Amino acid sequence: MADTGPTEEETPDGLLGWCLVANVARETAHGESGLDIQRGTKHFPVGALLWIPPVRWDPGHCRWPAVGRHRGNSRRYINIVVRAQDLANFRVKGVYSEGLVRSLNGHLHDPAAPRTLQNPWTRERAQEWADGWNQPRESVRIDGHSHPWISVPNPPPAELQVDGETLHLAHYGTRGAHYSRTPPPVERTSKP
């Protein structure tokens, strides 16, 4: 879902750039096996708007640096690493605040250019990320081996093409979709 603002050709007054944003999910899973369900996160309440700059470094699997207003102080932005699974409703928004630009830039911020994003999103790239994260995806295992770079929609397709090879859905459960190189057995029907 895109921000309903103008296109790149119609740049609104005061726009400093585009950014991927998301809201903190209503329920977040913590603890052993994710059995501890909490409202929001330790640092952000449910529905808090988080601004996600393009990733310059890898903070870990499905973890991103984000900028938002802390639970205890709604006036200042903080930079923190969040889990992607704790976020929902990804979309693109325009950046208009110099304070937000300073936080998004982090240590790369140039005081001589306070209105310049140092590592900006393009609107199209941010929208691609938003669309990708808004569609539920499932992890894939092929013949018992995990393949974290491959994911499928929920529910998964019966057949999957990977590197020119056709894989067949063997099992689908809480740990994702399990595919096999072996086709499923053919059911024989008896003729009366």
Side-chain angles (χ1 to χ4, degrees):
M1 163 186 305
D3 185 49
T4 56
T7 63
E8 297 255 11
E9 296 81 36
E10 307 166 352
T11 305
D13 291 339
L15 179 69
L16 304 176
W18 298 105
C19 194
L20 177 65
V21 299
N23 297 99
V24 174
R26 176 175 299 282
E27 293 181 343
T28 57
H30 302 275
E32 189 174 329
S33 300
L35 297 177
D36 180 18
I37 305 298
Q38 298 176 4
R39 290 182 49 79
T41 67
K42 177 180 178 182
H43 299 285
F44 301 107
V46 172
L49 180 66
L50 297 185
W51 301 79
I52 304 165
V55 177
R56 293 185 285 256
W57 50 278
D58 184 10
H61 180 66
C62 289
R63 294 178 182 268
W64 296 332
V67 173
R69 296 183 191 271
H70 196 273
R71 269 185 193 270
N73 183 353
S74 62
R75 293 177 42 119
R76 299 188 70 172
Y77 289 107
I78 64 166
N79 290 41
I80 197 163
V81 174
V82 296
R83 299 181 312 170
Q85 68 193 39
D86 293 343
L87 303 176
N89 191 20
F90 290 86
R91 59 199 182 281
V92 180
K93 285 185 72 85
V95 176
Y96 294 89
S97 162
E98 286 184 26
L100 181 56
V101 168
R102 184 172 41 254
S103 293
L104 288 169
N105 286 342
H107 71 279
L108 297 176
H109 185 68
D110 181 6
R115 299 175 56 83
T116 304
L117 282 167
Q118 298 300 327
N119 187 20
W121 286 97
T122 63
R123 187 171 188 179
E124 293 79 18
R125 184 169 163 239
Q127 187 62 53
E128 285 174 15
W129 274 64
D131 292 343
W133 280 97
N134 282 331
Q135 297 173 0
R137 305 291 290 181
E138 297 288 338
S139 61
V140 169
R141 294 182 67 82
I142 300 173
D143 289 332
H145 299 285
S146 179
H147 293 271
W149 60 90
I150 303 172
S151 63
V152 293
N154 181 354
E159 292 185 344
L160 180 66
Q161 293 289 327
V162 175
D163 297 330
E165 185 177 21
T166 301
L167 304 173
H168 308 277
L169 183 63
H171 174 74
Y172 177 58
T174 58
R175 296 191 181 193
H178 297 255
Y179 284 87
S180 173
R181 289 180 171 85
T182 308
V186 177
E187 289 186 33
R188 297 186 185 262
T189 58
S190 60
K191 293 183 181 177

